Amino acid sequence: MRVVSLVPSLTEAVALTLPGLLVGATDWCAHPEGLDVARVGGSKYPDLGRVLALRPDLVLLNVEENRRADADALVAAGVPVRVTYPRTVDGALTELADLLRELGAPAEPEWLAAARRAWADVPAARPPRRAVVPVWRRPWVVLGGDTFAGDVLRRLGVTNLYADDAERYPRPDLDELRAREPELVVLPDEPYRFTADDGPEAFPGVPCALLSGRHLTWYGPSLAAAPAVLSAQLADPVVRPG
């Protein structure tokens, strides 16, 4: 079977579980390190000609990572696609198990079993911290409701102040973000690369937790370490003077 993955987290999951199955991946598929497959451009704008030239039996996509137009074009070209869309940790674990089984994995990989154990053992955080979660700036875009990353944070004791917004990724201005009076600002390093010098200065006096975007948003082998990594980062925020 020949598989092309247009989703970085699924690339890592498939490459570690079923070596040799992947024949192509995006330029952003950085894990596992040293992965030697053909590159087909970005997740949002892949080179479909390159994808088709690899003669895939299946292309892996995700609702948030990839465009519907590319999925439709692949289907029109006669290529089967598998579209994932986890919005909770449990949903991600289930989708991963189903996908790997359908791809021929003889048993659940150890990293997936470890991820189940890690998330089952997450202690309840008390009290929850009220937070805003920017994922982009210029313009500001924040995490809304019904998202995988939102469920990850909820399990770690973070209450997203935009969880009930009608949009999954609202675009409030900075004044509105500040007006929500968050107790914490969560700043991941992807898709926008927030750093100690780029992000916290917009929220003077408010603790800002700099998080690993891979552990916050990827659903794959990184899920096993995510509770420990993210908990440590949430516990060590930076504060810029007010």
Side-chain angles (χ1 to χ4, degrees):
M1 192 173 189
R2 299 171 62 82
V3 176
V4 172
S5 173
L6 303 183
V7 187
S9 54
L10 293 183
T11 296
E12 183 179 20
V14 173
L16 290 180
T17 307
L18 296 160
L21 206 65
L22 284 176
V23 296
T26 76
D27 298 344
W28 299 106
C29 293
H31 298 273
E33 293 184 10
L35 179 65
D36 184 17
V37 297
R39 300 294 174 161
V40 297
S43 299
K44 291 295 184 187
Y45 297 98
D47 185 328
L48 295 186
R50 276 191 260 170
V51 173
L52 294 174
L54 293 170
R55 297 176 289 107
D57 299 302
L58 182 68
V59 176
L60 305 179
L61 303 103
N62 173 264
V63 168
E64 293 194 350
E65 290 272 357
N66 311 113
R67 299 184 306 155
R68 175 66 181 266
D70 291 326
D72 290 345
L74 290 167
V75 171
V79 178
V81 301
R82 173 67 178 268
V83 181
T84 59
Y85 190 25
R87 282 157 284 182
T88 64
V89 171
D90 289 342
L93 295 172
T94 297
E95 286 200 39
L96 286 164
D98 291 346
L99 172 64
L100 295 172
R101 182 171 57 252
E102 291 170 17
L103 290 179
E108 186 167 281
E110 173 52 32
W111 64 259
L112 185 51
R116 292 189 192 280
R117 293 192 298 268
W119 284 101
D121 293 339
V122 173
R126 293 291 185 271
R129 286 171 288 179
R130 300 166 58 256
V132 294
V133 189
V135 294
W136 201 262
R137 70 181 303 181
R138 306 183 188 97
W140 290 96
V141 180
V142 301
L143 204 64
D146 197 30
T147 64
F148 171 74
D151 189 55
V152 167
L153 291 170
R154 180 188 63 79
R155 288 166 175 260
L156 297 175
V158 175
T159 298
N160 180 8
L161 291 173
Y162 282 86
D164 296 326
D165 198 275
E167 297 184 57
R168 298 182 70 242
Y169 292 95
R171 297 190 173 204
D173 61 30
L174 183 56
D175 287 341
E176 182 184 337
L177 283 175
R178 291 170 172 166
R180 293 282 175 120
E181 298 184 347
E183 299 170 315
L184 179 72
V185 178
V186 174
L187 299 173
D189 61 11
E190 61 177 71
Y192 186 90
R193 189 174 180 79
F194 287 105
T195 68
D197 299 317
D198 186 352
E201 81 289 344
F203 303 93
V206 182
C208 294
L210 299 167
L211 265 56
S212 163
R214 176 168 173 253
H215 291 90
L216 177 62
T217 63
W218 287 35
Y219 53 102
S222 58
L223 276 172
V229 170
L230 296 174
S231 292
Q233 292 171 334
L234 288 167
D236 187 30
V238 300
V239 182
R240 291 292 175 257

